[in-house]
Every structure is written in structure tokens, then in C-alpha cells.
Amino acid sequence: MDPECSRLLPALCAVLADPRQPVADDTCLEKLLDWFTTVTEAGSSLLLLQENPCLVELLFHVLKSQDLSSRILSFSLRLAGIFAAQEDCFQYLQQGELLPMLFGEAGPLGGAAWTAPAVRSGWIQGLRTLAQHPSALRLLAACGAVDTIFSLQGDSSLFVASAAGQLLVHILDLAMRGPAEGRCSPQACDWPACAQKIVCHIEDSLCSIATPQVTQALNVLTTVFGHCHGLWTQGLWVRLSPLVARLLEKDPVPASHSLVDLLLSVARSSVPSSDRGLWETLAQTLSHLSPTQAGPLALGILKLQDCPQALRTQAFGVLLQPLACVLEAAAQAPGPPGLLGGAAGDPMTVDTLLCSKSACVGLLCCALAHLGLLQPLPQRPSPWPQAPLLGAAVTVLRLCSGSAAPTSDVGGRLCAILVGCGRVQRAALDFLGALSQGAGPQESVTQVFSVLLEYLMSPESSSMVLKKAFQATLRWLLSSPKTPGCCDLDPRTQLFLRELLPVLQKRLCSPCWEVRDSGLEFLTQMTRHWGGQAGFRQALLASEVPELTKQLLQDPESYVRASAVTATGQLSSWGLLAAPASPERPGAQQSLLVELLHVLCADSEGFPRRAVMQVFTEWLRDGHADVAEDPERFVARVLQAASRDPDWEVRAQGLELALVFLGQLLGPRGSHCPCAVALPETAPPGALAQALPEAAPPGTLAQALPEAAPPGTLAQALQVLCRVQLFEFAFRALFDCDRPVAQKSCDLLLFLRAKAALCGSPQEAGDSPNVASVEATLQRWQAGEQGQPLGYLEPGAVMAVLRSIDLEGLRDTLAESSDHVEKSPQSLLQDMLAAVGVLGENEADCY
Amino acid sequence: MKLYCLSGHPTLPCNVLKFKSTTVMLDCGLDMTSTLNFLPLPLVQSPRLSNLPGWSLKDGNAFLDKELKECSGHVFVDSVPEFCLPETELIDLSTVDVILISNYHCMMALPYITEHTGFTGTVYATEPTVQIGRLLMEELVNFIERVPKAQSASLWKNKDIQRLLPSPLKDAVEVSTWRRCYTMQEVNSALSKIQLVGYSQKIELFGAVQVTPLSSGYALGSSNWIIQSHYEKVSYVSGSSLLTTHPQPMDQASLKNSDVLILTGLTQIPTANPDSMVGEFCSNLALTVRNGGNVLVPCYPSGVIYDLLECLYQYIDSAGLSSIPFYFISPVANSSLEFSQIFAEWLCHNKQTKVYLPEPPFPHAELIQTNKLKHYPSIHGDFSNDFRQPCVVFTGHPSLRFGDVVHFMELWGKSSLNTVIFTEPDFTYLEALAPYQPLAMKCIYCPIDTRLNFIQVSKLLKEVQPLHVVCPEQYTQPPPAQSRRMDLMIDCQPPAMSYRRAEVLALPFKRRYEKIEIMPELADSLVPMEIKPGVSLATVSAVLHTKDNKHVLQPPPRPAQPTGGKKRKRASDDIPDCKVLKPLLSGSIPVDQFVQTLEKHGFSDIKVEDTAKGHIVLLQEAETLIQIEEDSTHIICDNDEMLRVRLRDLVLKFLQKF
């Protein structure tokens, strides 16, 4: 331990032991415990206690003092646990009988303090920490702790009850690992007494008629099979499985959630390799539980790596049941075999669906969510009933929108329950989106698109439902197959687009900003993927969507403006926004670049400005036509605007843009000889577009850097960087009060310096007056006075300054978390002492 | 208790309730859907409408071609539009004592009832209902009267001829009762019969029943009514709303414990949520205007328009529509906008509090101030000078058969840039548009009906728990177009009783009690005797006076003292003789003790038999039988009066007298 901390420790212990000086902040105690844990992990606890006797004194004092706060008591119990985790230290504390006094009947356990949940929790955590060696087991036996833990399982505080269960598992594991390790047989009769006692308790609880006790036992067992991997767990299951199976005979099955958790935990453990009976129990459970309870179990079974096919089929059947019932109820006429191969829907599931709205909604949402989770997994059941599932999802959506016209009685009642139910609509749309990963028969896909269109059109769709509908539509559109031999969209998709765009148009005018926002997001995504497809371009340009999107740059809601910025940026990248200026209003059609620059300079909210920076970075990277005209001027204007921005993310994005520009001038990071590199060599025109035909706008890639920055030496590149005032921006950012900005700038300058070193630096200007003044300014900036501008910089001066700044040192400092100074233990101890002192001063002030 | 159903329209009801000797008319709605069968009345000469071909029968007979015109496959009556009146033959309307009005839409038939049926009673309504109702009537009369039409078609109404006509004319019901619009004079006369009431005000009707209006949350001053006597309560729920719009919220609590709840005026579009429809309205409006098109909103001059203007007030800036003019054209536009601002006490809490700031409760005041909203009595005059396109026009009538809307339909119908947005749910938009076909302008249907939907009704009924629900038959089954939607009907236990036009319903409801007052001096003279703890009895001898449906027990007159000599009989002497009454008996006879008493008094050989109603005590020796039942005791002995009296006295020992 740090000598300074050792020096402070006695005073701190005195403060902790003094009930008149309450510790105001609980987190200090937690930090203190963390620190002691670190210290004891690094060295001997015994030595620590011997060198700092105040700690043992504190523990003794706690025992004697009557009026200590419960938090100090709890803290002391946990502290004792940390020390006693090492066996020699445990023995040392035992000499003074300290541990039995702390954890036995004589301690807080028997006193009034026990009523505080914090004390009970501290007691459990203390024991949990110290129970690391056989001696601890003897202590537990001696002070009858296990019985207390049993009773704490039913504690009124959920934290205490849960910790008690975990402690039991830990003790059981320790007992079984202890002296008998290696030879502990699965036969329960040989088990140590402590383990026997716990297992008997679990057995009793499993047989109890009180559900809470059954739940406790099941939860303990779930943890056992989840965390303990010894052979003995197999023996434990052999011993307990009949009792677990007996639970299934009860109606209703008690603690079904916990039972499902346990069975899945056992199934994932090593037990199934030795006990095939487990599969039978699982099968029985599946058939005994109600449809709602059985869902999570079925999903768990299907996620298992290896389990018998029959059980998997049964489990899949359980998951499919609700949807099968819906399909059957809504069927107009007996059609092809549905989800369950023509078998009728389970009457119990139908009952659950019809008994109440909440039960119906709950069951359907779970079924849809479970199947949605299963869909992308490699171990999903095969064959996967894609077509009936599509049919079911569409039917559920139609029932919810009221557009289904079921003829059966059950269908009518389902319709009445589900109509307008947003929760089911959202779940079904998510599921439908997940199903887009698989193909489907033409007829089903047509139905999918028609139901999606219905939802997108319906005025009754809430904003959340619409968002999901947009997402599902996007997934289906992107997964729709390409026409063979043709790189354009297939005719069906084009037809759909023609219907979709007027809907999107209307949604962009919605009075609800969430709807406008999700409409724009959808448009952005669609354009990103299809901007180059002739069919899409044609349909989009024929609609008013691009014009409306541009108008939304003035939206009153900042999120919408941000999305509009991204969308227009994307549209413009693909040349989908360039409507010619109308002859009546010359000049009215100003370039989007100017508009976005205006947003960057004038928007009062951060989101749109961040979006602009992202769009600009993308434009620069992809060589957008407006940018390629004069990239130097573009970068200069953007950096100037970004440097003044109050939002650190905008400034950070500015650095990102600067980095892209650097990359274009000097070659990307990691390339070896980039001195004379200019863009044409790094990325020939169209190369990027060829490599990523759908990801980047073709033909818009910069042809070359403008004449101002021809391929040449590093010096020329630096000239360009100086002209765009990139250095002023980067140096300012280097001393930014927001760490990520400073870090990014540091990286950028390091990159630049490394490039320069590789290529041989330009003419040095080491001790010119310019350099000195720059350094002086930078020092002032570092001190927080950023008002003064840097003025025009010569490349030589820049390089000199770059070398003179300790960028590596700065990077290391920045890499430390901002509170690294405050986090030291010494600071913690000082703070705690100071806080008490401050409390005292405040009291004095009161007089 | 009977309910006479005079209207078949569920949202424009007209029912008569006979309850405790009073005859109460509940609303008098006017079904205007009949006007859809007529050609529109254009404000400006329309060559298209005047050149429509006459209709002739299949055999070429063209005798109806002056009355009926054909347009895009539909046949219309070329005459002044007529309205379908409530049933006038089912009950003598001159016997109606009072008319209770729930909202301004449900009083449009009032002049027909009060002016032409011999009605002499009173009409009760709240002040906003009367004022806005007057505006609606004034607008209607104005719309019709300013386009005088020489021709009045009646030939087609002949039953034999009507059969030959194409649908929907062929299927039009009760055409013989269709009438032309009333005059302003009739309106004024009808409105003069209205007595203003406030929410929760109790109004006595002839001492027999009390009626009370309650806030129904649907429109300014809209009410539901409680009609109750001391022991019976009938609730009349007409157009009501639970949504937070401009009116005061609905008073549900006062509807509790009703014996009968008459439920009318639910939403006409149960599948359309008003909020979604407002969203749809705004989106389509913005979309049209941004594309340089005009928007036409056919509407009533009051009601939803206030909420729409409020939504637009919040929306136009965000949608970039600040420079677009909004025009509200109606002969009563100005009054409607101003009236809405002065009925503070009838508004929802939010709007009420604004008045104290002080601010106008509705933001349309600001729209008018900033010139964003302009209102005109008609398209003639100032409007034509100010008119600027693209614009948004709110104007009537929603049927598209009369009013300034006809002009805009003719003007804008040919361009697909323009849009007509239907927000009023009273008319089927396709039928409304039929005489304007073929139409290039876009049509959007966003019916905004804030009245209760079936889910809300179901919650309401669970909350107020009436014994019986009575409603129009349309509410007891799903709408014909959505016959499987079981959620679109009233679901309650016991099932709701339904009615249809011209039906008389005996309400399942028996009156059991009547309240009678006792005069204090009579009450003073009573000597109650406690029969069992908490129950005291006293005999009352009194005279029952009944006047104005109030019953009072008064002390009986003293027996007339012979005044000597004068034999002249006076009316006041004509009172029944008050005989000295035998005391009344109460209590029960314990059989065992009675038998013991009999034995003590020397009777022997006594047998007791149990019967269904009590016991029979047999005195075999005396050949006598005593029948003891819950409410009677008979001593049957053979002509032995002495024995009977002895036995009677023994029985009486067990009973109390008073």
C-alpha cells in the first residue's frame, strides 16, 4: 500500500468508527471496498492488517458500538470478508474470534441492526467473499450460517433474497470442490455434510406447497447448473429430477418461469450427456405448461446445440401453435396445409387467444418475437415453413388493421380483439421484416408488399407502427430478387415503388414529426442502395419526393432537419436532387451545398449540424460533383464553420473530414510512400465505383485534385493544408476541452508528422519568428485563451511546430480517463476525510 | 313507459318518451341525406349543370325529363332540395309537452315540429346550442333562398312512378314526407319557444319528472339529459365525446344508476380515429398546397372547424404554409368565429383558463389578426377582390348540393392539382361527388367524428351500469360493409333493445313506487309503535290530495258537527264517513305455546298438522279447526259463536294491537 494511504488510513478508520461523523456518500464506501479488493488481490491481507492495525481495530469497534449506521456495519462485514478470503488472514482474524463475532449470533445477526436490509446484504456479501477455503466452511458450520441463509432466501428485500440464493450455490460449490475434489462421486450419499444440508433443503423446498419456496429452490438450482461444472452436478440432477418432474403433475404448474429457466440451464450443462431422461422431462414440460409459459422453453430448446429431433419438432410446434390458430381462424376456405402440416390448432391455445385481450396480445407478441429470434440462427428448424409463416404474419397484420374478413367465429372474435392493437402490429412487422431473409412463393411476397403498403397508407398507423412498416418494407425491397441478366429493379418492385412514392410523399407532410423522420430515414436508406438503379431514379425523379425532402431542411423539428440533411445529401450524391432552376425564378434554386453550409453555420440545434458534417465528409470522400469543383475552398469553408461550433461532435466530425482530405492529398494512413501521392493514383476515377457498384455514387468521384494542388511534393500538399487553415483548426482542436476532439486531432497531427518524416520534411523554419509566435499562441490556447487567431502559417513553420509539440505525451495524457487523478486511492481517502471536515464546518456555520 | 321512434337516423335522432304522464321529445334531428338525390344549386350559372340531359324511361317515355336529370350515369331531381322529416303520424305531436335538445346538429327539424304540428310546449336547450343552432339554420335557409328555383318537382314522388326510377331514387324512403326548407320567419318563431338551461340545472316538468342537462363533451353546449322521478331514472345519451377537444368534458358520473339508458349519436365512422384523420387532413392539405393546388374543405360553419383551425394554427408554420391564405366562407362565418370565443364557461378547462389571462380561447383569433385566416359571408363582394391561389377554402354545405362549395367544386374540379377533403361524416363522399363527375380533382376522405366509438361505449356502460340500454337498430349489429367486425356493435348485458323508424317501444320497466308527502300536523298526530327493532308502524287516517302530480296526505276533516236546522248540503261536507276502525294486528302465533294455552283453557285432544302455508290446529272434541297461516288465521267452528269468541280471544293474546 502507498505510504501516503497508510498514513491517512487511521484517521479514516476513526471517522468511520465515529457515529457522529456520518459518511454522506455511499459510493465512497463502495470505492473503498473496491480499493481494498485490489490491494488484497495484489498482496497479502495478513501483512496489510499487521501493518495497519487500525483496520482490525475498526472491525472490533464496530462490534462494540451500538449506534453505528447500518451502512458502516454493512461496510465492515464486507471488509472483513475481503480480508478473510485469504486463509492465513482468516486464521489471524479467527485468533481474535473476530469472525464468529461478526458473522455469528453474537454479531449484528442477533441485534436490532439486522432489520436494515443493507446489513443483511453486507452479511451475505461478506460471507460470499470469505468463503474461499475449507476453513471458511467450518466457520459457516460453527456459526450456523447456512440456516440463516435459508431463511434469507425469502427476505423481503429482493436484493438480499437473490444474494442469499447465490451464496448457497457458492457454498455448495465450495463444499463439493473442497476436500473431496477429484474424488467427489456423483453419488449423493458421499457428499460433505454442508452440501447434504443444502441439498436436503432444496429437496424440502421443491416438495413445499408454497410457490415462493419452490421458486427459491428452482432459482438456486438454475444457478448451480449454470455456474458449477463439476461431475457432482450430474449426481445432483439424478437425485433431484424426480422432484422436479413431480412439479409438472400439479395444476397449475408452480413457478413455471423458474422451472423453465432451470430446465434450460440443465439442458445447457453437462447433464444431458449422462441423463437422457432430461429430454423426456423437457418434452413433458412442454406439453404441461400453458401456451404462454411454454414459449420461452420452446425457444430455449430450439437454441440448444444438440437435442433430439423429436423434441425440437415438438418445441417448434409450440412456437408455431398461436400463429397456426390465427391462420386457421382466418382461413376463408380450407387451403393448403398450414403451419402444422394440416393439424388443427390446439384448443388450449385458441382458448388463451380468446380469453382476454392481454392474454391474446401477450401470446402472439411472444410467438412472433420468438420466431423472429429463431429465424436467423443456423440451428433453426429445417425445413423452415417460410410460406405459411409469411401467410401468418400477413394475416395477423390484416386482423390488426381490420382488413381481414374471417368467416369463422374464432376469426371474428380474434379480429375484434386485435383490431388497432399497436403492440401486435409492431411485433408482426418486425417478424415480417426478419422473414425477408428467406425467399417465399410469389403469391406470398405479393401479399407481403400489399399488406406493407396498406400499413404505410393507413391513416390509422401510429408513428411507431409506421416506422416498423418502413423498416420491414426496406428489408423486403432490398431482398427482392434481381431480374436475371438485368441489373435494374424487377418490374414488380418498380410497380410497388410507383405506389409507394405517393405514400412517402404524404408521410413527409405528416404533422407528426416522428413520421416525417422515419419517412426520411427510409428514403435515405433506399437511395443509398438503389441510387444507381435506373428504375428507382426514374420513379423518384417523377415524384415530388426530392423537392419535399429539400423543403424539410426548414422543418421546425431538429431531428427531422437532421434526417432531411442526410437524405438530401444522399439524393444529391446520386444526382437525384439537381432540379434545374426554373426560368421564372432564376437563382431561386441555390445549390444544396450552400444550403447545407447555411445549416452548419446557422442551425440552433446540434443534430442537423452533425448531419451536415457527415454528409460533407461523405461528399468529400466520394468526390461529389459540387465538392470536386473546388475541394480546397470547400474544405476551408467547412472547417471554418466547424471550428466555431459549440457541439464537440461537429468539431470531431470536422477532424474526420480533415483526415479524409489529408488522405486524398497524401495517401491513406498506412501507405508507405505517399509523398507524391494525389488522388488519381490512390483511387483512379471510377475505381471505387466499380468495386462498390451500389454503395457509392458512380461518376461523381473526383477526377483529380484541382490545379491548386497538383500531384507533387509534400510541400505542395502542406501549402494546400495551410491555405485551407487545416492546421489552425487541428491545433485549436488539440486543446479542445472535449477529450475525444483533442484525441482525434492528436492522431491527425501524428499521422501528418509521420508522413512528413517518411517523405523528408520540407524546408525547415525552425527558429523563424513565425514559429516562435505560433508556439506562444499555442501555449496560450492550451491555457484556455483561445481567442487569438493563429494567422497564416507557412508549411515550414507548421512542421517545426509539429516537431516541437510533444504529441506522444499529449496522446498518452489524453488516453487517461479524465478523472484519473481523482480516481487514485489517496484522493479517495482525502476526499472522504475532507467531506467529513466540510460537514463539520457546515455545522459550525449554522451557529 | 313508451318510446316513440320518429327518426331512423342514429345520429340525427327524434324520439318521444312517455313517462309518468309527461310526453317528452328527445331531439329533433333533420335527415339531410335526402338532398343527395337533388342537383346542386349553383351560385353562378353553370352551363354544365343546366345542360344535363333529361332522364327518360327505358321505353323512351320522357315525361319526367323536366324533373330528373342524368349525370355520369346517376339520376338527380332538378328541384329545390328537400329534407326527410321525422315521422309525424306515429304520435300526435301537439301532445308533446317539452322538447329536449342535445346539440345544435340535433335541432335542425325544430321549425317543422313547433310550427306545423300544433305544438304548444317548451323547448329546452343550452345557450350555445341555441346560438349555433340558429347559425346553422340561418346558413341553411340562406343557401337555399339565395338561389331561387322556379321549379318544384313532385311527379317523381308518385309511388307508381318512383318504382320505375333507377336507384337510389327508387329506394328512397318516405319521399312523401320530404319537405322544402323552412323560412327564417319559421326559424325565429321556433327558436322563440326555447328556454335556455345550464348544465346540471334541474327543471321540473309538471311536478311529475325532473329533467337535467349534463355536459356531453361533443360540441359547444352539447348535453345529455337525465329524466327522472323520485324512483325512476332515464338517461338520454346523444352525441357525446370523451376526447379532449374544445368543449367541456363529458359528465359520466351523473349517468350512473339509470333504469334505462337511451343511447344515440355514436360515431358514424367507428373505424376512423379522429386524431389519425386530422393527421391525414394536414398531410394532404400540405401536399396539395406545396404542389400549387387549392384545397376545398366542405364543412359546417361550427364544430370540427374550430379544432381544424387550431391544428392548422400549430401546423402551418412547421409545414412551410405560412404564406398560404385560408378562407372561411359562410353567411354566418363571422358570427361563428366570434361566438366560439364568448362561450368560455362551456369550454374545456384549458380554454377556460386562457380567458383569465386574458387571451382568446381559440387561436383562430390570431390567425385572423395575422391575416392568415379571412372570412367572408359569400363568394360575392370582398372575397373576389382578395382571392389568391393556391389557397385553402372552408365552406358549406358538406352535402355539396347548395352553398358556396358548389361554386368551388365547379371551379376547381377540373384540375388534378386541387383537392377536396371531406371532414364531415354526415354524407357519403362518393354520393356527394356524384353530380360533379367526371372529376379531375383529388378527393380525400378524412371524416372527423369525435363522438363515442364502440370501445368507449363499452367502457361507459361498464362504468354507469344501466339496467337496460335502448339504441337504434344500427348499433346492435356490425355495419353491413364490415359484417364480421363484432367489435363494431354494442356489446352489453342484458342485450340492448333496438328501435327503428316509426316503431313504438314499451320500455322494460315497471313503476313500483310513488312518493307521497304527509302534512306536518298529520305527522304530529301519528303514534308509531315499534314492531321489531328498527321498524315502527302507525295507522294513518287521512285524505289523499293529488294536484300537479304531487300527492299529499292531509288530516281528515273533523266529523261535521250538526249545526242544527240547516240541511243544505255543501260541497265540503261531502266527505266519506270515518268509521271507528278496528285495531290492526301484528305478530305471529307460536303454535306450541298456542297449543299449551288451549290445553290450559281446558281443550283436550288437540292435533297439529303442518300445511304448506302454516299449521292447522284441530280440536277434535269441539269439532273445530284453527287455520294459522302467515297472514291470516281462521277459526272454523260449527255455529258455536261462544266457542269462536273464546278461541279468538286466545289467538289475540299472541298478537299485538295498534
Side-chain angles (χ1 to χ4, degrees), chain A residues 8 38 188 219-220 281 291 333 436 481 652 694 741 764 795 819:
Chain A
L8 291 169
T38 323
N219 288 347
V220 166
T281 313
S436 68
E694 285 188 4
V741 180
E764 283 281 349
D819 63 344

Side-chain angles (χ1 to χ4, degrees), chain A residues 1-9 35-36 39 48-49 51-52 55 83 825 829:
Chain A
M1 185 188 287
D2 188 332
E4 182 58 21
C5 291
S6 267
R7 196 183 61 76
L8 291 169
L9 211 48
W35 174 54
F36 277 117
V39 170
L48 179 71
L49 291 191
E51 284 172 359
N52 300 285
L55 289 170
F83 295 142
L829 300 184

Side-chain angles (χ1 to χ4, degrees), chain A residues 406-407 459-460 506 509 544 556, chain B residues 273 276 280 291 315 318 484:
Chain A
T407 45
E460 299 296 321
K506 192 180 78 185
C509 293
E544 283 132 25
Chain B
N273 169 9
S276 317
E280 194 73 0
N291 290 333
Y315 178 65
S318 71
R484 302 299 304 179

Side-chain angles (χ1 to χ4, degrees), chain A residues 402 406-409 415-416 419 459-460 505-506 509-511 544 548 551 556, chain B residues 271-273 276-277 279-280 282-284 286-287 290-291 315 318 484-485 487:
Chain A
T407 45
S408 74
D409 215 30
C415 189
V419 85
E460 299 296 321
Q505 222 163 278
K506 192 180 78 185
C509 293
S510 167
E544 283 132 25
L548 276 174
Q551 287 180 17
Chain B
T271 49
N273 169 9
S276 317
M277 289 299 127
E280 194 73 0
C282 291
S283 308
N284 284 297
L287 198 59
R290 279 179 176 175
N291 290 333
Y315 178 65
S318 71
R484 302 299 304 179
R485 290 286 298 271
D487 54 321

Side-chain angles (χ1 to χ4, degrees), chain B residues 84 287 357 415 545 552:
Chain B
C84 179
L287 198 59
L357 290 179
S415 166
H545 270 256
V552 182

Side-chain angles (χ1 to χ4, degrees), chain A residues 577-621:
Chain A
L577 206 60
S582 61
E584 307 95 67
R585 293 188 296 171
Q589 186 75 35
Q590 59 174 343
S591 109
L592 180 66
L593 175 63
V594 178
E595 268 187 68
L596 293 189
L597 268 174
H598 179 71
V599 173
L600 181 62
C601 299
D603 203 301
S604 58
E605 298 279 336
F607 301 108
R609 302 198 308 268
R610 288 180 205 170
V612 170
M613 286 307 294
Q614 268 160 1
V615 166
F616 282 165
T617 313
E618 220 166 284
W619 279 8
L620 183 67
R621 189 180 291 131

